[in-house]
Amino acid sequence: MDRKIESFIQWIYSLRGDIASDEAIPAKPARFGDWPALDARLIEALRSRGIERPYSHQSDAISRTLAGKNVVIATPTASGKSICYNIPVIQSILNDESSRALYLFPTKALSQDQLAELYALIEETGVQILTFTYDGDTAPSARKKMRAAGHIVITNPDMLHTGILPHHTKWVKLFENLRYVVLDELHTYRGIFGSHVANVIRRLKRICTFYGSHPIFLCCSATVSNPKELAEMLIEEPVELISDSGAPMGEKRILLYNPPMINRSLGIRTSSIFEATNIAVEAISRNISTITFTRSRLDVELLLTYIRQGLAKRGLPGDLVAGYRGGYLPKERREIERSLREGKLLGVVSTNALELGIDIGSLELAVLHGYPGSVASAWQQMGRAGRRSDLSAAVMVASSFALDQFLAANPRYFFGASPERARLNPQNLYVLANHVKCSAFELPFSTTERFGNTKIDEILTYLERQGVLHRAGERYHWQADSFPAEAISLRSATSENYVIVDITDVAKPTVIGEVDRPSAPMLIHPEAIYFHGGKSYQVMELDEEGMRCYVKEVKTDYYTDAELAVRLQVLDVFEEAEGWGWGEVLLAAHPTIYKKIKLATHENVGYGHVHMKEEQMHTTACWFTPAEAALSLMDKDSQSSALAGLAHLLRGVAPLFLMCDRRDLQVHSMVKDPFLNKPAVYLADNTPGGVGLAEAAFGLRKTLIEAAAESVMSCQCEKGCPACVGALGASINAKETARRLLSTFEVT
Ligand SMILES: [Zn+2]
């Protein structure tokens, strides 16, 4: 087995590109602990499931939980985290039949997988422990039984928010006896979603207190740099961290491959998508099970098409490999997951949709087409290839993006970097006020009551003035007619989806997929080419009111790439120092034109105009103004390109230091900002209301300027390239102008 991967790695060394780094992560033997005092039936059940002894981290987690501590388990994928929470939960029910537990998973697919394992363990104990999944698909007849008799209720935060908490009077048994709350995939509770979930937990705890229970929280997280802090922000109680995994791991090789340079002065390398295709095709034809990750849904479809073409050239069937991404229908996704587990598929091309704990078995190779944008994502994607005993490998193919090239030049930044800090802001006023409303609907507030640890008297008086609450003596009661939770989505940015309808056969329109609203301007504007499962369709009509997109299957040799016009407007300044500031901004975007790009060669073969409504977002941003003296020496065009270059540089390096994903940030530049009345470069938090990135960037301003300077100095191009200041054309020396502006900062 091992020889197969070793000879494949030798083959990679024979390619023309550079191996920027090749790290070996040594195999790790298992370390075991002991079971704490458990019910004999449980020990026996574990034994018959083939689990004789717990790994050290499992034993640690179970003991601390049974001792009444909240814990967060942050160990690698496939280290057996579910044992850590299933054991204390089952133990408590064996001890006391009335004991209850609530499991929260961020998505539905996950809970199905974990359920199978839990069921098997329960069955072995021979005791009737009723476990139910409560989600949108649950039949009304089952719901009643679940409320009265369910020991373990498995759901997601959205259902807890709209389906359970507002109806707590029907769930008295659950809330009176709630012993454990399990929060799995904790790292997904970040950004605006995490801010909502923190408030849903405040509501949950408030209801528990009302019914006299005080549940223990059992959290599990993949790689983030601050699991303990994240868990404590979410539940507002002390949490103990368990991060030293005792699970065994096979040896792993991690290669960072940089495609060969074909034009040094322009800094152009061969296309990373072709290089990734080549590597995946070679691996699959060597019978190595391979997962290829890429950053966008369009790239999934392009890579899938190219890999199938590559396999066909070698006489291999194209259906050895499938695509997987958001927007495929659930049934289609489950089918692909099953085929991967059963080894019927040898390859899959995916976005980060497959990063989460979805069970696809362990593969031998992960190919990352481009740095996924964050350290944690990169480790998670690379972790998809990995066996308990055999050698596995991950190859990251650097793209021309700035961060990719920065890491290829400085791989120590990747291997030395701590993973991202998961950020959330439960005090985001918009989020907080909405959940105070929901909570007031559930139970009246006393005038001095806190919500979690937060004082909310001002929000309560505001809601009274709005006629939502009614004050009677020392209590606020709900008085509006509406049901507040229904109108509040926990995933505000992605809650609305366009439905893609195939009208190739007009008599038989078929729904083939979905696209979330923020992605629509790029992916499904009128006349766009939309790819799905390797087939191409053209958008015939986009119904923006009805959220429907009508497509027809077409044969095409091009794809489309839309350009967005972005508008940023400073609304309020919170803090200023040394030419920097941060505050509230309005970010608006709409698509203007689309380019037609030829599939095989990536040549631009035409364009068209797009008319769609502007999408607006209020958020926070950090900005800075380069010294006027340095700018005044330049003409307007040079000023504009120097500022755009600086923005591009910052976009490249900032995610590493802010410990966030590159998609969490937007950059922008203006030669004369009408509000600030001067030239400015902005780094905006890409989440409605912001999650604290703008303030963090303001605090790290010196570091960011130093990193930007290092990035531009170390770039091998002459006048600017996508890896540093962006591809602005050779006529403008953006690299030099950006460097000049940066040097004025070093003086101050
Ligand atoms: Zn460059």
Side-chain angles (χ1 to χ4, degrees):
M1 280 294 264
D2 285 12
R3 297 293 315 151
K4 190 163 70 171
I5 301 290
E6 271 162 24
S7 76
F8 174 71
I9 291 172
Q10 278 170 12
W11 173 83
I12 292 182
Y13 270 91
S14 74
L15 295 174
R16 288 191 307 122
D18 307 319
I19 309 284
S21 80
D22 177 357
E23 296 269 324
I25 298 178
K28 240 178 78 177
R31 277 177 300 130
F32 294 97
D34 293 308
W35 295 120
L38 293 178
D39 192 294
R41 288 169 290 181
L42 188 47
I43 300 268
E44 202 42 52
L46 284 160
R47 213 163 262 155
S48 54
R49 298 279 306 149
I51 305 166
E52 289 287 333
R53 296 178 67 192
Y55 295 128
S56 51
H57 65 282
Q58 293 172 330
S59 144
D60 195 11
I62 297 165
S63 313
R64 293 203 215 188
T65 309
L66 290 175
K69 310 283 188 198
N70 299 308
V71 298
V72 56
I73 303 133
T75 54
T77 317
S79 55
K81 280 185 269 215
S82 54
I83 289 278
C84 300
Y85 52 77
N86 285 334
I87 302 301
V89 167
I90 296 175
Q91 170 70 21
S92 76
I93 300 168
L94 291 176
N95 246 347
D96 171 5
E97 194 279 324
S98 68
S99 176
R100 297 288 185 265
L102 181 68
Y103 283 26
L104 289 176
F105 293 91
T107 65
K108 228 161 71 173
L110 292 174
S111 45
Q112 288 306 325
D113 283 343
Q114 318 264 355
L115 202 56
E117 195 184 321
L118 176 62
Y119 275 148
L121 189 58
I122 288 173
E123 205 174 297
E124 293 289 346
T125 61
V127 176
Q128 205 189 25
I129 296 177
L130 296 173
T131 304
F132 294 102
T133 301
Y134 191 73
D135 59 30
D137 302 337
T138 310
S141 56
R143 294 184 179 195
K144 205 170 166 201
K145 189 173 179 206
M146 190 180 304
R147 290 183 196 123
H151 289 104
I152 303 176
V153 176
I154 300 171
T155 187
N156 53 49
D158 314 77
M159 253 342 249
L160 182 63
H161 159 61
T162 56
I164 298 180
L165 296 179
H167 309 291
H168 60 91
T169 51
K170 294 182 183 161
W171 294 85
V172 176
K173 273 241 159 77
L174 175 74
F175 291 116
E176 276 182 347
N177 300 292
L178 190 58
R179 191 73 55 84
Y180 292 112
V181 176
V182 171
L183 292 173
D184 204 349
E185 306 287 346
L186 196 74
H187 57 280
T188 60
Y189 301 139
R190 58 206 286 279
I192 200 76
F193 182 45
S195 309
H196 274 292
V197 172
N199 281 286
V200 171
I201 291 171
R202 286 171 171 169
R203 284 162 52 199
L204 168 67
K205 289 173 66 175
R206 200 167 165 253
I207 289 174
C208 287
T209 306
F210 177 76
Y211 288 104
S213 63
H214 184 77
I216 290 161
F217 285 81
L218 272 147
C219 314
C220 294
S221 170
T223 1
V224 287
S225 73
N226 58 336
K228 180 175 150 74
E229 181 192 44
L230 174 62
E232 291 182 342
M233 277 209 285
L234 281 162
I235 71 167
E236 298 184 289
E237 283 179 42
V239 177
E240 299 193 355
L241 171 67
I242 291 156
S243 58
D244 189 10
S245 171
M249 269 195 344
E251 189 190 342
K252 178 174 236 164
R253 289 277 287 278
I254 296 177
L255 283 85
L256 181 48
Y257 176 80
N258 206 1
M261 187 77 96
I262 48 177
N263 182 329
R264 192 159 292 273
S265 66
L266 296 178
I268 297 174
R269 293 174 183 271
T270 59
S271 155
S272 56
I273 197 164
F274 294 142
E275 296 282 328
T277 301
N278 185 28
I279 290 172
V281 168
E282 179 70 23
I284 292 167
S285 50
R286 286 170 181 246
N287 203 29
I288 293 171
S289 57
T290 303
I291 182 163
T292 306
F293 282 105
T294 186
R295 285 183 287 219
S296 73
R297 283 170 273 192
L298 175 62
D299 280 348
V300 166
E301 299 293 341
L302 291 179
L303 264 167
L304 178 64
T305 307
Y306 297 153
I307 291 174
R308 283 181 174 166
Q309 286 168 354
L311 291 174
K313 275 190 202 144
R314 299 183 184 213
L316 292 166
D319 60 6
L320 280 178
V321 46
Y324 188 106
R325 59 175 175 83
Y328 281 18
L329 297 174
K331 203 175 124 224
E332 201 177 346
R333 292 218 237 175
R334 298 298 91 78
E335 181 64 38
I336 296 168
E337 290 159 20
R338 194 173 324 115
S339 302
L340 279 166
R341 275 197 300 270
E342 292 169 0
K344 284 186 195 149
L345 277 170
L346 204 48
V348 63
V349 184
S350 177
T351 54
N352 59 1
L354 267 179
E355 262 175 38
L356 294 178
I358 298 162
D359 181 15
I360 51 166
S362 33
L363 302 167
E364 292 162 295
L365 173 72
V367 179
L368 278 59
H369 168 235
Y371 177 65
S374 74
V375 175
S377 277
W379 282 110
Q380 280 206 43
Q381 295 186 352
M382 295 187 304
R384 274 303 184 177
R387 305 237 148 159
R388 290 219 158 159
S389 53
D390 296 332
L391 177 68
S392 65
V395 183
M396 181 146 72
V397 180
S399 77
S400 57
F401 271 125
L403 195 45
D404 289 45
Q405 290 304 316
F406 183 74
L407 291 174
N410 310 282
R412 70 196 152 86
Y413 271 101
F414 176 71
F415 290 100
S418 57
E420 288 68 25
R421 180 170 289 271
R423 283 172 211 272
L424 57 130
N425 178 13
Q427 312 309 90
N428 178 316
L429 198 57
Y430 162 80
V431 174
L432 177 65
N434 271 319
H435 287 280
V436 168
K437 267 207 274 195
C438 295
S439 201
F441 174 87
E442 288 149 10
L443 291 169
F445 273 101
S446 83
T447 50
T448 53
E449 192 175 337
R450 282 171 177 255
F451 188 50
N453 294 334
T454 301
K455 273 184 74 172
I456 51 161
D457 42 343
E458 283 177 18
I459 295 176
L460 292 172
T461 32
Y462 169 79
L463 292 174
E464 189 199 2
R465 263 186 277 125
Q466 298 289 305
V468 175
L469 300 183
H470 164 71
R471 183 168 171 171
E474 295 304 296
R475 283 157 85 82
Y476 287 100
H477 296 268
W478 180 258
Q479 75 161 16
D481 296 330
S482 58
F483 172 64
E486 224 93 285
I488 299 158
S489 165
L490 304 188
R491 313 179 198 236
S492 56
T494 54
S495 62
E496 288 179 295
N497 285 338
Y498 277 94
V499 176
I500 314 284
V501 187
D502 177 8
I503 52 166
T504 311
D505 178 355
V506 188
K508 211 171 111 253
T510 319
V511 172
I512 56 168
E514 293 173 337
V515 166
D516 62 285
R517 190 179 184 133
S519 308
M522 294 300 290
L523 295 179
I524 52 164
H525 58 78
E527 296 177 18
I529 297 294
Y530 171 75
F531 290 91
H532 192 104
K535 287 186 187 167
S536 44
Y537 301 84
Q538 183 156 37
V539 176
M540 309 310 292
E541 190 197 335
L542 184 70
D543 172 4
E544 290 186 69
E545 297 295 320
M547 303 290 287
R548 284 181 167 259
C549 171
Y550 298 97
V551 301
K552 265 189 183 164
E553 197 172 341
V554 288
K555 286 265 170 276
T556 171
D557 62 349
Y558 71 91
Y559 65 93
T560 49
D561 185 16
E563 282 186 8
L564 289 182
V566 180
R567 189 163 69 83
L568 183 146
Q569 194 182 335
V570 177
L571 303 173
D572 197 4
V573 180
F574 297 157
E575 210 178 337
E576 279 181 305
E578 302 160 358
W580 286 69
W582 77 281
E584 191 186 343
V585 299
L586 169 75
L587 260 180
H590 71 277
T592 52
I593 61 158
Y594 68 88
K595 291 181 285 189
K596 296 180 178 176
I597 317 267
K598 201 158 181 196
L599 273 170
T601 59
H602 291 193
E603 283 171 283
N604 194 339
V605 290
Y607 73 97
H609 291 278
V610 190
H611 301 283
M612 278 181 74
K613 277 186 282 183
E614 189 178 71
E615 292 276 342
Q616 295 194 344
M617 172 168 85
H618 280 256
T619 183
T620 53
C622 165
W623 55 82
F624 68 90
T625 301
E628 303 264 357
L631 273 173
S632 64
L633 299 173
M634 303 177 190
D635 60 42
K636 275 275 179 292
D637 276 352
S638 303
Q639 286 185 11
S640 162
S641 65
L643 292 170
L646 274 187
H648 194 274
L649 268 172
L650 273 182
R651 173 123 171 79
V653 296
L656 267 182
F657 299 93
L658 294 173
M659 297 201 282
C660 69
D661 192 292
R662 67 188 292 278
R663 283 164 293 207
D664 296 339
L665 293 171
Q666 276 200 35
V667 294
H668 197 65
S669 62
M670 257 188 268
V671 174
K672 193 166 176 79
D673 180 306
F675 183 93
L676 303 168
N677 199 23
K678 50 195 175 189
V681 173
Y682 313 82
L683 207 53
D685 198 319
N686 205 7
T687 302
V691 290
L693 287 170
E695 191 179 2
F698 181 75
L700 282 169
R701 52 192 183 272
K702 288 210 169 69
T703 312
L704 293 180
I705 290 293
E706 279 165 24
E710 183 178 344
S711 172
V712 76
M713 299 297 184
S714 68
C715 193
Q716 296 178 12
C717 68
E718 272 173 31
K719 295 182 172 176
C721 72
C724 57
V725 293
L728 292 164
S731 57
I732 297 162
N733 195 338
K735 192 174 178 181
E736 180 50 34
T737 48
R739 192 149 45 186
R740 239 188 292 160
L741 290 189
L742 280 168
S743 65
T744 66
F745 273 95
E746 283 154 29
V747 179
T748 56

